Amino acid sequence: MILANIFRKRVPIAAVLMAAMMLSCGHGQQNELKQTMADSLIDAAFDARDYERVLTLCDSLEQRGDISLYKAAYERGFAYYYSGKPKAQQKELRQALLEKPKNTEDSLAYFNITYQLADALWIAGDDGEALQLALPSLEGLRKMDREHPSKEVTIRLRSLTFLVGKIQMSLGMKEEADKMFEECYGYLLKIPLETPGDYKRRFRTLEGFITSYYNAEDMASVEEWLARQDSVLALI
């Protein structure tokens, strides 16, 4: 009965087993399992490129309280993006940002939405608005990093400083971008290289710096960051 009101299509066996496990767990464990189950179902819909299903799942899971409004908006935003509906994506994310976070978990999700919207605006060529949106969010993350440092905060700081630097390069603000990329690199070095994904994240970030400087025809900076990228390859 747990899944009956959410799914009309065939449900993966793993999700059914997870639902059964929830019945035998305490409240805290149930919340964790609900979140894991929700993530798995949304990921499966994305993998199948069934973006309408992603939207339906997010609506149902949010109404049931299994995911927050920020999580739902974040996933719906990507569903609209992959569906080729950038205006709907931006509308979804802007609406979610009207609701202020009430705790640390919500704050991190709030920053994820800010990042996605700023990135969408940058892709659309709205560099000025993208930067205007991203900078206050960056200050908020820096404050969180000072008061409640964690790997999750560091990862988000890495992502947002990277995006802000790219936007600044697009706007011709090279000196500001130089500082932002250096700050981003500092956060990148704080993230342990524990998984292949960690190596990939570091390599791809440096690749992004290189591309930005190459597009700006700053070959001296390209050479500098190529050397740093080689240092990552040496660790593999």
Side-chain angles (χ1 to χ4, degrees):
M1 293 297 294
I2 290 177
L3 302 175
N5 295 328
I6 302 180
F7 309 109
R8 291 198 179 125
K9 297 183 180 180
R10 182 180 176 186
V11 178
I13 293 177
V16 176
L17 292 175
M18 195 174 297
M21 288 171 60
M22 287 170 59
L23 297 176
S24 61
C25 293
H27 181 68
Q29 290 175 306
Q30 284 188 16
N31 287 339
E32 288 185 15
L33 284 171
K34 281 183 178 181
Q35 186 63 57
T36 302
M37 182 179 69
D39 288 341
S40 298
L41 293 167
I42 293 170
D43 288 346
F46 271 115
D47 289 343
R49 299 183 181 181
D50 190 347
Y51 305 123
E52 286 300 322
R53 181 158 175 73
V54 172
L55 297 174
T56 300
L57 277 170
C58 287
D59 289 346
S60 298
L61 293 167
E62 182 186 2
Q63 289 172 8
R64 288 169 53 88
D66 293 342
I67 61 175
S68 70
L69 71 91
Y70 302 107
K71 168 71 172 176
Y74 180 77
E75 301 293 1
R76 281 194 291 257
F78 276 119
Y80 286 127
Y81 171 76
Y82 288 120
S83 299
K85 300 176 180 178
K87 295 299 183 183
Q89 177 194 21
Q90 292 183 27
K91 181 179 178 181
E92 176 72 36
L93 299 173
R94 289 181 194 278
Q95 184 65 34
L97 290 177
L98 295 176
E99 299 289 334
K100 299 304 179 185
K102 299 179 177 62
N103 52 52
T104 300
E105 183 179 354
D106 282 351
S107 293
L108 289 173
Y110 186 88
F111 289 126
N112 285 343
I113 293 174
T114 302
Y115 174 88
Q116 188 187 149
L117 179 55
D119 188 51
L121 291 168
W122 177 62
I123 291 173
D126 296 330
D127 298 343
E129 186 180 357
L131 187 62
Q132 187 177 16
L133 177 69
L135 286 177
S137 184
L138 178 56
E139 286 304 314
L141 271 178
R142 286 169 174 160
K143 181 180 179 183
M144 186 179 293
D145 188 47
R146 291 192 299 269
E147 298 176 353
H148 306 287
S150 68
K151 182 178 179 180
E152 289 74 16
V153 174
T154 300
I155 288 173
R156 285 164 177 80
L157 277 166
R158 193 282 316 178
S159 298
L160 193 53
T161 50
F162 182 32
L163 176 60
V164 169
K166 290 190 294 183
I167 295 170
Q168 289 170 331
M169 286 294 286
S170 296
L171 291 169
M173 303 166 62
K174 184 181 177 302
E175 289 186 10
E176 292 85 347
D178 289 342
K179 294 177 183 177
M180 198 60 63
F181 285 155
E182 286 291 349
E183 182 179 349
C184 178
Y185 187 62
Y187 296 127
L188 198 62
L189 294 179
K190 289 183 180 181
I191 303 172
L193 296 174
E194 299 172 336
T195 68
D198 294 327
Y199 285 93
K200 182 178 180 181
R201 180 190 296 114
R202 187 173 294 187
F203 187 85
R204 288 289 177 84
T205 302
L206 297 180
E207 188 176 53
F209 297 166
I210 293 164
T211 300
S212 292
Y213 284 117
Y214 181 82
N215 290 338
E217 300 182 352
D218 182 352
M219 302 313 295
S221 295
V222 168
E223 292 294 331
E224 177 187 346
W225 287 105
L226 278 172
R228 299 198 201 187
Q229 192 178 49
D230 287 342
S231 68
V232 178
L233 290 173
L235 295 174
I236 301 177

